[in-house]
């Protein structure tokens, strides 16, 4: 048969939400490419999704329901599994109340129909829910305080910037479709700046690179603000559109610029150079997500927001303080938000789950996440999961979490799924549709819940077809050229409810329409220092950053080998050589890793992949303590110190 071309949209937890073109021969996918007609995808995919077939058809793939019997997970029929789930859900609710049931959903798929899983537990309970957001909680909460919303100008407005500051952002790995936009801007004369303690490939794109001390962006931002105040380059209208300008000014004036530069670990000249760029706008600030995964993460983002505002860069084209694109804005929600009887804090999930009493969590249901590998303090998360009487995991892959389940429910992969996608890196909306059928033992997640709702007598749970549900989700924008038929006909459609300029009206949606500037300094935070042992390095800041071959714990390509790697400056580990097997020790755990040496890094940092299999000793989270951020219940993954020494 001649090969066919079929289109879908990537549903991964990634800002790009790419259009995918699959070549299909005899109902098998033979090639994957980026959609050349999608204005952001521009015909290419990232490494991890280009190689997705290795996961889709690989040994980790779950192709039929699994049930735990005699200690092992064994295949079962859907009827058996649905009967078992119906009985467990009903019995546990009757005996202990719905608070004994906890639904944990992460971002394994960003499809909007995934919210129907939440609706099920709201209607069946309401059950215990998770609060907080380990991904972007601190930054979003900061922007809600400052601006009343966390959203962005149109992506292509960057072409109007004189300067673009990549503040703690590595698009070459975690937002690859931003790179062509940056290159286009550069070709038009825009200057790019990177501010990141870690040296990475994006530095090659940039005209200047600052490698400040880890977690010291508050000091850096305040130093820049100080220079702007000292040199009379604050927007003269700032007092009109900002509240708390005097208090913010007092914060900036708490130290001279040279002292701020020293505290931030940069040269005074570099700090002044950054101030020049903010004064010589329009300057766009692209605020990365990594930096706010610190105990002071909320305050750091607030300081950056304030800097963008007082320098006059917030309201103008080519400016903006972009942290997030509101990907759900165009969609109609499925049902009202109900009050949960209890909440488990996501960054502290292990300890909260263990502490939950009266009733304890007896049944936990995991949707689209691998909390064991990806939440901080994996050892406590493992203990907490093991203590749950009945663990249900819906996933396409047999993850560390799924291996501990009593029931594993196989769901479609991103190439088999049917859903709707917004994006947190641009404003396009699109549909995902199966490019090949899912294996016969796999079921669409919505259909699993529809079957359960029927058995449990949940009369209000929607039993509509996927198409009807998509139309319902698009009902707000269907009359504005973004209905389902449009998405099908034209591919990705720009959201009609996203203005080209976020604050084009000159006001922000806070209660009084003014920017709320940070008005109090963040607290100094303590980070536990690992014990010193013979031959161990000085304490190093552990960066568990995104890597191109993996999506969190899902590795494409060959993936990690026998050991996770850790990269440091050679002077950080005198006497050790590249390739050595080393012990990486934090205050809460130890891992074995293969040493990489990289002279472009600071001597006080150590870098390892953000996610790897826990059971194989690859999970950075085995080293990371569970602490919440100052705002938004994020996880302070990056406030971690480790020491490195040779394995004896
Ligand atoms: N390849 C790949 N892409 C991904 C993902 C993935 O797992 N793999 N994950 C996706 C997800 S879930 C998300 S949320 C996003 C975000 O993924 P992240 O990797 O969290 O986000 P980035 O902001 O691109 O990268 C973090 C950058 O912030 C820097 N940083 C850390 N601490 C500081 C600091 O104190 N100061 C400054 N200035 N910089 C700091 C790090 O060195 C790093 O370069 O990416 C998505 N894209
Ligand atoms: N140390 C450290 N830890 C981190 C981070 C860090 O920077 N450092 N980053 C954090 C961030 S930003 C994030 S967002 C989290 C990510 O944490 P998780 O969301 O737990 O990440 P994944 O490992 O990608 O797990 C997602 C799972 O969803 C499955 N999946 C895919 N599609 C579907 C579907 O349609 N339905 C269902 N039911 N499952 C599906 C995938 O197969 C995968 O196993 O990790 C956080 N953890
Ligand atoms: S993971 Fe991100 S960059 Fe890769 S194909 Fe999906 S949306 Fe595009
Ligand atoms: Mo994330």
């Amino acid at each position: 048969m001649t090969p066919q071309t079929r289109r879908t949209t990537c549903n991964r937890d990634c800002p790009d939400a790419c259009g995918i073109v699959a070549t299909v021969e005899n109902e098998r996918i033979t090639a994957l490419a980026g959609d050349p007609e999608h204005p952001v995808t521009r015909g290419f995919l990232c490494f991890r999704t280009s190689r997705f077939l290795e996961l889709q058809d690989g040994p980790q793939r779950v192709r039929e329901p699994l049930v735990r019997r005699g200690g092992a997970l064994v295949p079962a029929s859907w009827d058996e599994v649905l009967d078992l789930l119906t009985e467990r859900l009903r019995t546990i609710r009757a005996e202990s109340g719905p608070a004994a049931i906890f639904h944990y959903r992460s971002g394994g798929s960003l499809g909007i129909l995934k919210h129907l899983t939440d609706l099920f537990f709201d209607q069946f309970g309401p059950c215990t829910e998770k609060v907080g957001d380990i991904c972007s909680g601190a930054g979003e909460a900061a922007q809600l305080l400052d601006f009343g919303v966390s959203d962005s100008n149109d992506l292509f407005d960057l072409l109007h910037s004189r300067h673009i500051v990549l503040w703690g952002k590595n698009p070459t790995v975690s937002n690859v479709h931003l790179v062509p936009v940056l290159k286009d801007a550069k070709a038009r004369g825009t200057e790019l700046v990177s501010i990141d303690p870690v040296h990475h490939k994006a530095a090659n794109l940039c005209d200047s690179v600052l490698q400040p001390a880890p977690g010291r962006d508050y000091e850096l931002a305040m130093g820049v603000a100080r220079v702007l105040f000292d040199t009379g380059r604050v927007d003269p209208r700032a007092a009109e559109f900002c509240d708390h300008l005097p208090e913010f000014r007092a914060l900036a004036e708490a130290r001279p610029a040279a002292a701020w530069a020293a505290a931030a670990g940069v040269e005074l000249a570099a700090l002044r150079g950054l101030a020049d760029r903010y004064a010589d706008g329009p300057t766009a600030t692209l605020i990365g997500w990594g930096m706010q995964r610190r105990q002071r993460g909320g305050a750091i983002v607030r300081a950056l927001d304030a800097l963008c505002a007082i320098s006059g860069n917030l309201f103008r084209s080519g400016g903006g303080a972009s942290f997030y694109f509101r990907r759900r804005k165009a969609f109609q929600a499925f049902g009202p938000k109900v009050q949960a009887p209890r909440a488990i804090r996501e960054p502290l999930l292990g300890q909260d789950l263990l502490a939950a009493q009266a009733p304890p969590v007896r049944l936990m249901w995991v949707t689209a996440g691998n909390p064991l590998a990806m939440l901080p303090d994996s050892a406590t998360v493992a203990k907490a999961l093991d203590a749950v009487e009945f663990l249900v995991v819906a996933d396409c892959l047999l993850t560390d979490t799924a291996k501990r389940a009593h029931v594993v429910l196989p769901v479609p992969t991103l190439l088999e799924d049917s859903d709707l996608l917004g994006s947190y890196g641009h404003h396009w909306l699109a549909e995902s549709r199966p490019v090949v059928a899912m294996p016969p033992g796999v079921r669409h997640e919505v259909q699993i819940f529809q079957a359960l709702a029927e058995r449990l007598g949940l009369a209000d749970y929607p039993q509509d077809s996927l198409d009807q549900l998509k139309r319902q989700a698009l009902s707000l924008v269907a009359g504005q050229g973004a209905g389902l038929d449009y998405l099908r006909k034209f591919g990705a459609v720009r959201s009609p409810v996203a203005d080209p300029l976020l604050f084009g009206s000159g006001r922000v949606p806070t209660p009084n329409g003014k920017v709320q500037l940070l008005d109090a300094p963040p607290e100094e935070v303590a980070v536990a220092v690992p014990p010193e042992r013979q031959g161990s390095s000085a304490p190093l800041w552990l960066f568990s950053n995104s890597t191109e071959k993996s999506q969190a714990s899902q590795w494409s390509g060959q993936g990690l080998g026998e050991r996770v790697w850790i990269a440091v400056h050679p002077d950080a580990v005198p006497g050790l050589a590249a390739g050595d097997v080393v012990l990486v020790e934090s205050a809460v755990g130890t891992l074995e890793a293969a040493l990489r040496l990289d002279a472009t890094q600071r001597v006080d940092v150590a870098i390892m992949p953000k996610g790897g299999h826990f059971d194989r000793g690859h999970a950075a989270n085995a080293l990371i303590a569970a602490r919440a951020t100052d705002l938004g219940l994020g996880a302070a993954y990056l406030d971690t110190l480790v020491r490195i020494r040779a394995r004896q």
Side-chain angles (χ1 to χ4, degrees):
M1 247 202 344
T2 44
Q4 281 185 308
T5 302
R6 295 184 193 157
R7 289 186 150 73
T8 189
T9 306
C10 183
N11 67 16
R12 294 185 120 168
D13 191 346
C14 170
D16 296 6
C18 289
I20 297 178
V21 181
T23 310
V24 180
E25 286 178 60
N26 297 322
E27 292 310 311
R28 286 195 67 81
I29 301 168
T30 52
L32 291 174
D35 188 343
E37 283 163 33
H38 190 299
V40 184
T41 308
R42 297 206 208 175
F44 75 97
L45 299 178
C46 62
F47 179 96
R48 62 202 189 285
T49 299
S50 308
R51 308 280 291 263
F52 187 70
L53 292 177
E54 294 167 23
L55 277 178
Q56 164 137 317
D57 303 329
Q60 250 196 295
R61 179 76 204 273
V62 195
R63 293 187 176 79
E64 54 198 338
L66 304 173
V67 172
R68 188 164 298 280
R69 287 214 182 93
L73 281 170
V74 295
S77 73
W78 274 104
D79 266 345
E80 265 177 282
V81 165
L82 290 170
D83 284 347
L84 174 63
L85 293 171
T86 306
E87 184 279 319
R88 290 281 74 203
L89 283 163
R90 224 183 230 142
T91 307
I92 290 175
R93 184 179 63 175
E95 289 175 356
S96 308
I101 297 168
F102 170 38
H103 178 223
Y104 173 82
R105 181 166 64 82
S106 187
S109 157
L110 296 185
I112 216 70
L113 299 187
K114 294 293 172 283
H115 291 255
L116 287 162
T117 61
D118 305 346
L119 184 70
F120 174 88
F121 290 97
D122 282 352
Q123 293 189 352
F124 184 71
C127 301
T128 294
E129 67 174 16
K130 79 159 195 196
V131 283
D133 181 347
I134 44 115
C135 174
S136 54
E140 275 184 70
Q143 294 215 311
L144 285 180
L145 283 175
D146 298 340
F147 307 144
V149 69
S150 186
D151 201 348
S152 298
N153 292 339
D154 187 79
L155 176 63
F156 296 103
D157 184 61
L158 290 173
L159 298 177
H160 303 132
S161 305
R162 198 190 292 262
H163 302 279
I164 299 173
V165 181
L166 301 172
W167 202 316
K169 192 166 179 79
N170 179 5
T172 51
V173 167
S174 51
N175 191 182
V176 290
H177 294 85
L178 175 62
V179 175
V181 185
L182 296 176
K183 287 186 175 162
D184 285 353
K186 216 179 140 137
R188 290 168 161 227
T190 307
E191 278 191 33
L192 304 183
V193 184
S194 162
I195 303 174
D196 200 314
V198 169
H199 183 88
H200 47 64
K201 263 197 267 172
N204 300 337
L205 278 177
C206 293
D207 303 280
S208 57
V209 176
L210 272 75
Q211 271 180 274
R216 291 292 160 199
D217 302 272
Y218 171 79
E219 285 74 6
L220 185 56
M222 296 316 278
V224 173
R226 171 82 205 230
V227 173
L228 294 178
F229 281 117
D230 284 354
T231 53
R233 288 183 292 171
V234 166
D235 186 325
R237 292 168 308 127
E240 290 161 38
F241 59 74
C242 297
D243 274 344
H244 313 301
L245 186 62
E247 293 89 340
F248 180 73
R249 181 171 190 154
L251 287 182
E253 289 177 349
R255 293 185 194 181
W260 285 123
V266 300
E267 300 289 330
L268 179 58
L271 187 143
R272 288 212 172 104
L274 191 55
D276 291 343
R277 287 177 175 85
Y278 275 93
D280 177 34
T283 298
T285 306
L286 305 185
I287 305 173
W289 299 283
M291 183 169 63
Q292 43 97 56
R293 296 191 195 112
R294 297 186 179 275
Q295 291 166 90
R296 302 201 305 174
I300 288 174
V301 174
R302 293 203 67 193
L304 268 52
D305 286 349
L307 184 59
C308 296
I310 62 144
S311 61
N313 284 300
L314 193 60
F315 298 97
R316 65 203 294 203
S317 174
S322 171
F323 175 73
Y324 188 73
F325 288 69
R326 270 183 81 196
R327 64 185 174 86
R328 285 182 293 251
K329 187 178 178 201
F331 300 114
Q332 169 81 56
F334 293 106
K337 179 85 200 85
V338 296
Q339 180 66 37
R342 178 168 62 191
I344 301 274
R345 295 167 296 174
E346 190 177 25
L348 308 173
L349 182 131
Q351 66 199 57
D352 272 12
L353 206 50
L354 286 170
Q357 290 306 323
V361 169
R362 294 180 58 193
L363 187 155
M364 177 170 169
W365 188 300
V366 177
T367 300
N370 183 5
L372 178 52
M374 297 318 299
L375 295 186
D377 191 6
S378 299
T380 306
V381 176
K383 213 163 125 193
L385 293 181
D386 287 343
V388 171
E389 182 183 317
F390 199 74
L391 179 64
V392 183
V393 176
D395 206 302
C396 353
L397 304 174
L398 197 63
T399 62
D400 294 306
T401 307
K403 283 186 199 154
R404 283 157 176 82
H406 298 88
V407 169
V408 181
L409 300 171
V411 293
T413 65
L414 64 96
L415 298 171
E416 300 157 356
D417 206 10
S418 181
D419 213 319
L420 292 173
L421 278 305
S423 154
Y424 65 94
H426 56 73
H427 283 307
W428 272 263
L429 309 173
E431 188 190 19
S432 69
R433 297 179 83 180
V435 295
V436 284
M438 55 188 124
V442 173
R443 283 212 187 166
H444 194 283
E445 208 136 16
V446 170
Q447 286 156 354
I448 299 175
F449 284 97
Q450 288 179 330
L452 276 175
E454 263 184 6
R455 282 167 200 247
L456 290 162
L458 296 183
D460 291 339
Y461 195 75
Q463 292 293 344
D464 314 77
S465 68
L466 294 177
D467 271 11
Q468 284 167 325
L469 291 166
K470 288 178 184 176
R471 285 185 202 283
Q472 193 184 324
L474 287 167
S475 57
L476 299 174
V477 290
Q480 300 173 65
L484 188 59
D485 302 318
Y486 269 81
L487 298 194
R488 275 195 190 151
K489 192 163 169 204
F490 299 111
V493 169
R494 196 178 178 290
S495 168
V497 292
D499 292 332
L501 282 190
L502 178 59
F503 304 131
S505 67
R507 287 170 70 80
V508 294
T510 52
N512 69 358
K514 290 188 181 189
V515 175
Q516 301 301 304
L517 297 179
L518 181 70
D519 59 357
E523 284 176 26
E524 268 303 320
V525 293
V527 176
V529 181
E532 188 170 3
R533 311 209 193 264
Q534 199 176 1
S536 64
S537 72
L540 306 171
W541 291 101
L542 181 70
F543 285 75
S544 42
N545 284 355
S546 296
T547 41
E548 66 169 353
K549 289 185 182 160
S550 92
Q551 171 71 43
S553 69
Q554 311 165 55
W555 284 79
S556 299
Q558 287 202 312
L560 280 176
E562 227 182 302
R563 282 185 192 85
V564 65
W565 50 261
I566 189 155
V568 294
H569 191 285
D571 293 348
V573 285
L576 296 179
D580 282 358
V581 178
V582 294
L583 292 176
V584 185
E585 196 168 18
S586 74
V588 300
T590 308
L591 276 186
E592 276 189 8
L595 189 66
R596 292 186 180 178
L597 296 179
D598 179 352
T600 63
Q601 302 304 342
R602 290 174 59 97
V603 288
D604 58 354
V605 306
I607 305 143
M608 65 167 31
K610 111 176 183 185
H613 298 165
F614 173 79
D615 287 330
R616 293 164 68 190
H618 288 168
N621 283 310
L623 298 169
I624 294 174
R627 282 140 320 171
T629 52
D630 52 352
L631 294 174
L633 278 175
Y637 291 103
L638 293 169
D639 281 346
T640 302
L641 289 167
V642 294
R643 291 183 195 266
I644 294 179
R645 65 193 159 100
R647 192 178 57 169
Q648 298 305 316

